Amino acid sequence: MGTLTIGLLTRPYGSKNIAFVLRLAKAALEKGHSVKLWLSGDATTVAKKGQHKYQKSFNFEADLKELIERGLEVVNCESCVYIRGINDEEMIDGVQVKTMTWFMENALSSDAALMIGEE
Amino acid sequence: MKLGVFISDFKYDAELFDRIASDETGVFLVHDGVYNAVVKENGKPSPLLEKVSKIFVLKDDLKLRGFTEDAVPSNVEVVDYGDIVDKLMEEYKRAIWL
């Protein structure tokens, strides 16, 4: 099995990209791969606790929690998340905070890497 | 190294695509990008379908938009999320998103 690193810059709820990423990550975990998800820019807000669950809408907090339990490694960009006023206590348990160096090292060393920018 | 290019919209940056596409490129049509596989403009298929030989379309996003697999031309391969994982891990090890 291998390692897949996914980088995501797109904002949650205003874009479908995070939904795609979570499904792809789930499929990769189910195949036994290790999956690392790097969140930067507005994507960092998807790791915030307390997202309201409406009847017929996504709830990315629940999806992220489930995938973290299955082994997904979720890392928020340090400067991006703090500049948005989200501190460590407000992030979903298990979400790490690192610098861009972490992403570059993992994107280059992983078996496969996918980068999804802004819309 | 083979490059994977995800196209997530019906209208995409054709000029940018032409600059990065090669025989080694694999195109993954997802989200509204699936329309490139099934919608014809003025009776002609999307020009994208002639630019590279390896084109994949995500079954889930086709179905979501009311298309069945028989609407997909033979030169486009219908894939699911698991297939995409396999193709990234085995072939298109670096991928970008347009």
Side-chain angles (χ1 to χ4, degrees):
Chain A
M1 290 303 109
T3 301
L4 168 63
T5 294
I6 305 170
L8 180 65
L9 252 149
T10 327
R11 69 203 178 284
Y13 296 108
S15 156
K16 308 180 290 289
N17 292 356
I18 182 75
F20 174 87
V21 164
L22 295 177
R23 287 188 190 119
L24 189 69
K26 185 174 182 184
L29 290 167
E30 282 167 357
K31 283 178 175 273
H33 298 299
S34 302
V35 186
K36 302 180 179 205
L37 174 58
W38 163 259
L39 300 168
S40 58
D42 289 340
T44 55
T45 60
V46 79
K48 187 179 178 309
K49 276 195 267 204
Q51 297 169 41
H52 190 84
K53 172 67 181 135
Y54 289 96
Q55 255 184 13
K56 291 208 168 143
S57 78
F58 288 108
N59 181 266
F60 297 127
E61 178 175 355
D63 299 330
L64 265 180
K65 280 178 180 170
E66 184 205 327
L67 291 175
I68 288 171
E69 276 162 29
R70 286 177 175 223
L72 176 65
E73 186 176 350
V74 180
V75 178
N76 256 343
C77 167
E78 180 186 72
S79 47
C80 293
V81 69
Y82 290 149
I83 209 170
R84 285 164 174 77
I86 299 173
N87 58 48
D88 293 344
E89 293 72 39
E90 292 176 294
M91 285 184 233
I92 294 167
D93 296 340
V95 172
Q96 305 165 59
V97 177
K98 299 203 187 229
T99 65
M100 175 65 85
T101 307
W102 179 92
F103 174 61
M104 295 315 296
E105 284 168 354
N106 282 278
L108 292 171
S109 61
S110 291
D111 297 289
L114 165 62
M115 183 65 202
I116 303 177
E118 290 274 353
E119 262 177 0
Chain B
M1 175 180 298
K2 290 193 175 185
L3 176 68
V5 178
F6 284 75
I7 292 190
S8 63
D9 214 340
F10 186 31
K11 292 293 166 206
Y12 63 96
D13 189 331
E15 194 199 323
L16 170 61
F17 182 83
D18 289 345
R19 271 191 275 133
I20 54 175
S22 77
D23 298 341
E24 300 284 276
T25 303
V27 170
F28 295 84
L29 301 174
V30 300
H31 290 333
D32 288 346
V34 305
Y35 288 119
N36 283 293
V38 290
V39 168
K40 290 189 168 61
E41 276 189 83
N42 308 318
K44 280 192 253 147
S46 163
L48 172 64
L49 302 189
E50 291 145 24
K51 292 183 185 222
V52 289
S53 56
K54 288 287 185 186
I55 303 176
F56 314 101
V57 63
L58 181 55
K59 179 189 306 185
D60 307 55
D61 286 349
L62 272 179
K63 208 171 150 191
L64 196 64
R65 289 159 178 77
F67 292 99
T68 59
E69 295 187 37
D70 7 302
V72 177
S74 57
N75 62 326
V76 178
E77 182 182 342
V78 179
V79 294
D80 61 22
Y81 282 96
D83 299 325
I84 292 179
V85 169
D86 292 341
K87 291 183 188 299
L88 289 177
M89 301 305 287
E90 291 154 21
E91 209 173 345
Y92 302 100
K93 293 179 179 256
R94 293 299 174 265
I96 59 171
W97 183 279
L98 296 186

